[in-house]
Amino acid sequence: MRRVMGLVSILLAFLSSLAPAQLADWKATQPIFLEAGSRVSAVRRDAAGRYLVLQSRPATLFVFDGNLKWLGKYVPQRGQDTLSFAEDFTVGDDGKIYVADRGAQAVKILSPSGELQQAIPFPQPISVAATAEGELFVSSAQARVLVSRVDSAGKVIGEFGALQEFAGRADVQRTFNIGLVRRDRAGHIYYLFRHLPRPTIHKYSPLGHLVAEFELVGQSLPRPQPPPPKELFPARPGEPPPRVTKTERAIRRAAAMTAHDVLTALAVDPQTEELWVGAGSSLLHVDREGRSLGEWQAVDPGGAPIKIDDLLIEPDRVIVVSAGRGVFLFPLPGGSTPAKAAP
């Protein structure tokens, strides 16, 4: 009996060694921007040092000073639908605010004081990045490519990024290609796939050429898998493709609707090009070559996990948006190189 118990103990110890180690807690110091409520989707900082906090519904921009003190808010003017359902925004070097307003099917351009200056029609914009010249890079839930390049007049002047195939499901693969667009000081464009089963980020040149593809690895992420086959039962040469029944179409629509977030947030250090990635409640730090620099579990001041829906990296701290929970202030994770201050 003792020998059996000893063997069991050895087996359990071996199995526990195969299990991934628990991530170190990355603990928030305090909740902030309480005046903006819990339905916050993104936080940015402008050249004047103010924090702009976007509430998705009702669509409102809250303004705070550099000491996190509330200054006011921008709301839709009476008789003018300034914002409808906004999910992401960015602030240009000139102080203009560019909002991806999915509900209004447009990218809205606001002045630094919050007045609507222009509305660029765009199908279901998800995310937006801007250049110093006012050009935009926009991702959409409907476009045939990953990123569209839009000039200051609102005209699409370029498109890049091929959609990733997902088991040949043309009717649902667009959902699995939804993602976030970010930009660094050198002009590189980063595209984070939110739903793709393989956690992936693409890096493009300012002209839209693919520079690198990072398949992220972490304890909280799905393990890399080979791409699934395009068709389980491919048609023979010369035969038409198999007919898709109504039941199969319904199943595929349901699969698209239940696609869950694999990666949830992305911030790029404008100087070092290092990446900070949210994956549920985990924070990953990645160098410019895609190599892991660290991984932590985000928790609130009480120790409960926090889902990371947006990130703002500052020289000595990190601001995290957690949809439904609010906004939290975190210290820069231990051992990380301080980020350069964002413009």
Side-chain angles (χ1 to χ4, degrees):
M1 179 61 70
R2 289 181 179 178
R3 179 177 297 180
V4 172
M5 294 301 294
L7 291 174
V8 170
S9 299
I10 294 173
L11 179 60
L12 290 175
F14 173 73
L15 292 177
S16 63
S17 68
L18 296 179
Q22 184 176 359
L23 294 177
D25 281 349
W26 178 45
K27 195 170 186 178
T29 56
Q30 66 183 91
I32 57 175
F33 306 145
L34 300 180
E35 292 84 355
S38 62
R39 296 181 179 179
V40 174
S41 58
V43 175
R44 303 288 178 262
R45 198 169 189 182
D46 65 13
R50 303 178 306 168
Y51 293 97
L52 303 179
V53 181
L54 178 63
Q55 182 187 75
S56 57
R57 290 184 178 178
T60 307
L61 270 171
F62 291 81
V63 186
F64 297 81
D65 67 14
N67 295 318
L68 313 181
K69 181 181 179 181
W70 184 41
L71 298 177
K73 60 183 178 179
Y74 305 151
V75 296
Q77 302 174 16
R78 182 172 299 178
Q80 180 182 9
D81 186 14
T82 304
L83 296 176
S84 176
F85 174 51
E87 295 188 343
D88 187 40
F89 78 108
T90 190
V91 181
D93 293 341
D94 55 2
K96 290 183 179 180
I97 304 164
Y98 302 87
V99 183
D101 193 342
R102 188 174 184 180
Q105 303 272 339
V107 175
K108 303 289 183 64
I109 303 177
L110 310 181
S111 71
S113 59
E115 298 173 350
L116 178 65
Q117 293 186 331
Q118 186 180 359
I120 300 174
F122 202 90
Q124 294 194 28
I126 298 294
S127 185
V128 61
T131 69
E133 295 76 25
E135 288 188 355
L136 304 178
F137 295 90
V138 187
S139 67
S140 165
Q142 290 187 348
R144 60 186 179 183
V145 294
L146 297 178
V147 182
S148 298
R149 185 178 180 183
V150 182
D151 66 16
S152 57
K155 181 181 178 181
V156 176
I157 58 175
E159 296 178 324
F160 58 89
L163 300 183
Q164 303 297 295
E165 294 188 1
F166 184 77
R169 299 176 175 178
D171 52 343
V172 302
Q173 74 172 1
R174 194 62 194 87
T175 297
F176 286 93
N177 279 273
I178 287 177
L180 303 177
V181 179
R182 297 292 182 259
R183 183 177 178 271
D184 64 23
R185 280 281 184 89
H188 297 111
I189 305 300
Y190 300 82
Y191 190 89
L192 175 143
F193 293 86
R194 297 193 64 163
H195 307 303
L196 207 63
R198 292 175 292 126
T200 306
I201 296 175
H202 283 184
K203 179 179 180 180
Y204 296 92
S205 71
L207 297 178
H209 303 297
L210 182 64
V211 175
E213 179 177 346
F214 305 140
E215 187 166 338
L216 304 184
V217 177
Q219 296 181 33
S220 59
L221 298 176
R223 294 186 178 183
Q225 299 291 334
K230 294 183 179 181
E231 295 290 348
L232 295 178
F233 302 100
R236 296 178 180 177
E239 291 185 357
R243 184 177 180 181
V244 179
T245 67
K246 291 183 178 180
T247 301
E248 290 172 327
R249 280 196 292 268
I251 292 174
R252 294 179 181 183
R253 284 195 298 269
M257 294 175 64
T258 57
H260 66 281
D261 289 343
V262 175
L263 303 178
T264 54
L266 174 64
V268 183
D269 186 306
Q271 300 293 338
T272 66
E273 298 182 17
E274 292 178 352
L275 308 180
W276 297 84
V277 183
S281 61
S282 298
L283 176 73
L284 293 89
H285 189 194
V286 180
D287 70 11
R288 59 188 298 172
E289 304 299 329
R291 295 183 292 259
S292 175
L293 298 176
E295 185 178 3
W296 303 267
Q297 174 86 10
V299 298
D300 66 16
I306 294 176
K307 182 186 177 186
I308 302 172
D309 291 299
D310 190 55
L311 289 164
L312 179 62
I313 307 298
E314 299 200 299
D316 58 353
R317 62 189 185 183
V318 181
I319 294 176
V320 171
V321 172
S322 184
R325 295 285 303 278
V327 187
F328 294 85
L329 188 64
F330 284 79
L332 201 68
S336 301
T337 302
K340 305 294 184 182

